[in-house]
Amino acid sequence: MSHKHRITILAGDGIGPEVMAEAVRILAAVECTCGFTVARTEHLVGGAAIDATGHPLPPETLQACEKADAILFGSVGGPKWENLPPDLQPERGALLPLRKHFGLFANLRPGICLPALTHASPVKQELIAGGFDVLCVRELTGGVYFGAPKGRHEENGEPVALDTMIYKKSEIERIARVAFTAAMGRKKRLLSVDKANVLASSVLWRETLIEIAREFPEVELSHMYVDNAAMQLIRRPGSFDVLVTENLFGDILSDELAMISGSLGMLPSASLGTCNSNGLAFGMYEPSGGSAPDIAGLGVANPVAQILSLAMLLRFSLGEGAAAEAIENAVALTIQEGFRTADIATGLPHETQVGTRAMGEAVLARL
Ligand code: IPM
Ligand code: MG
């Protein structure tokens, strides 16, 4: 049976367009070999949209996303737009509204350090021998990012600013189920990260995780305070399997995880809404790294994170698991055979240093 899917491509700023071009070529190749079609439309977002229309998330872009099964996102932002009012900046004016609008509460951020790339990690080699594979599940539409009240006022002539860290039990339950389900497909170990020794929202978080654990008796649940988790991640990354945490803690820990993996340019991410009856969810898929304005347009950026984001999209939103696996295997083979973009090159003899296009070609040839 041949399926017809629809996606919206938002390449954005910086290296976004050049790495997206490689992902799109890979998509065309798996369409042919795996027997499905993906109708795709490309739209403006971020700084590129500001320059063209004055807004980082123009209405036509949002409408195009509403008609699609998923969004393949590049990256947004850059120095050119940094001094605009907050709501008109690429990150806060496009990324956060997209997450909220589509209810993308579950953010999956894999932090994988392949054995072949451990030397690219800034962590001492003896601490990461053999590499590691951690999945960070971050709550993405709640907590202090969106909690009310929020804002600034004056008290006795002095400026005061506040944010509210707030969670409803139902919000914790649904992200917990996503994390437990992910753990079931892996080593069945789930670490919940909170600050239950200080924060009321964390106490509810921990209670709820313990309750939901009863639905997943095979998964071993443990808890850690976020400050300790930040330390343990560097000290023994190999001991983690799946980590679940609230929005702000997840923002911070997922950057730490990306850094210690030594390959930010390799890491994809998925932001998912509620699953339908087929187990598929609307989602937005983007590289974990940013728009990297310093190397934009030079043809040296690593396209792997964008290509692996496409693989996640195929798996979680389109149900094309075989195509996703084919892409992931082709990427693994490409790395194994020594192809390296500048970010992961270390000058070892078996390495071939290549640019964005050639890296895409190498993956394409191994599909
Ligand atoms: C991320 C980013 C965003 C966040 C910013 C750009 C708003 O850091 O996706 O991790 O804080 O969520
Ligand atoms: Mg972040």
Side-chain angles (χ1 to χ4, degrees):
M1 191 170 57
S2 161
H3 293 275
K4 271 185 127 109
H5 308 288
R6 217 189 317 195
I7 69 169
T8 295
I9 294 177
L10 307 180
D13 309 318
I15 59 170
E18 54 201 284
V19 293
M20 186 64 84
E22 299 313 309
V24 169
R25 291 193 316 141
I26 302 280
L27 175 59
V30 292
E31 262 181 323
C32 283
T33 52
C34 299
F36 57 83
T37 58
V38 181
R40 33 195 183 265
T41 55
E42 298 190 26
H43 290 270
L44 293 172
V45 74
I50 296 173
D51 290 350
T53 73
H55 198 280
L57 185 61
E60 51 275 21
T61 296
L62 195 60
Q63 282 154 18
C65 294
E66 279 169 353
K67 290 189 197 131
D69 303 313
I71 303 167
L72 188 60
F73 196 92
S75 52
V76 292
K80 187 174 172 193
W81 307 282
E82 257 167 29
N83 297 316
L84 290 169
D87 288 349
L88 287 179
Q89 286 179 14
E91 294 88 345
R92 268 175 288 184
L95 209 50
L96 297 185
L98 276 169
R99 290 174 183 170
K100 198 66 180 173
H101 182 81
F102 290 104
L104 307 177
F105 68 93
N107 184 212
L108 310 184
R109 296 191 171 183
I112 298 176
C113 180
L114 297 172
L117 293 179
T118 53
H119 50 271
S121 166
V123 174
K124 281 201 200 106
Q125 288 305 293
E126 63 261 35
L127 298 180
I128 50 165
F132 58 82
D133 178 352
V134 183
L135 176 65
C136 176
V137 179
R138 168 187 176 194
E139 201 292 324
L140 202 59
T141 51
V144 74
Y145 270 60
F146 296 98
K150 184 191 240 338
R152 257 177 101 118
H153 59 273
E154 292 216 342
E155 275 172 28
N156 305 322
E158 188 186 9
V160 175
L162 82 158
D163 299 282
T164 303
M165 189 183 265
I166 181 167
Y167 271 103
K168 285 188 206 148
K169 186 166 174 148
S170 55
E171 291 176 300
I172 306 173
E173 286 170 343
R174 64 182 183 176
I175 191 71
R177 289 198 178 95
V178 169
F180 275 106
T181 305
M184 281 300 288
R186 297 170 47 109
K187 294 186 204 141
K188 300 194 169 77
R189 282 192 286 119
L190 177 61
L191 175 72
S192 171
V193 174
D194 62 35
K195 190 72 185 174
N197 51 346
V198 177
L199 302 174
S201 58
S202 279
V203 173
L204 180 62
W205 181 278
R206 194 176 281 218
E207 277 169 25
T208 308
L209 264 287
I210 291 170
E211 257 178 58
I212 300 296
R214 292 192 209 115
E215 296 170 22
F216 300 87
E218 285 177 52
V219 177
E220 179 199 320
L221 171 69
S222 55
H223 307 271
M224 203 181 272
Y225 298 137
V226 62
D227 47 352
N228 188 22
M231 290 198 297
Q232 301 307 331
L233 213 44
I234 291 186
R235 216 171 65 149
R236 42 182 187 92
S239 69
F240 289 74
D241 181 18
V242 181
L243 178 164
V244 63
T245 192
E246 67 87 44
N247 204 345
L248 179 62
F249 299 161
D251 178 45
I252 298 166
L253 290 181
S254 62
D255 261 28
E256 184 185 346
L257 182 58
M259 187 67 217
I260 63 172
S261 80
S263 48
L264 188 54
M266 303 271 299
L267 303 180
S269 79
S271 303
L272 306 174
T274 310
C275 281
N276 64 22
S277 56
N278 298 323
L280 301 176
F282 182 88
M284 180 160 83
Y285 301 81
E286 61 184 302
S288 286
S291 57
D294 52 322
I295 56 163
L298 301 181
V300 298
N302 190 344
V304 166
Q306 191 75 63
I307 292 169
L308 291 176
S309 297
L310 168 66
M312 290 184 101
L313 179 156
L314 289 164
R315 175 175 295 120
F316 294 120
S317 288
L318 307 189
E320 301 290 355
E325 212 166 294
I327 293 173
E328 287 161 355
N329 290 339
V331 166
L333 206 56
T334 304
I335 297 299
Q336 210 176 308
E337 290 181 21
F339 290 89
R340 302 283 187 269
T341 39
D343 57 314
I344 50 171
T346 52
L348 289 175
H350 74 285
E351 292 181 356
T352 313
Q353 195 171 329
V354 293
T356 310
R357 174 44 55 110
M359 191 68 161
E361 290 286 347
V363 176
L364 209 52
R366 283 157 189 78
L367 263 177

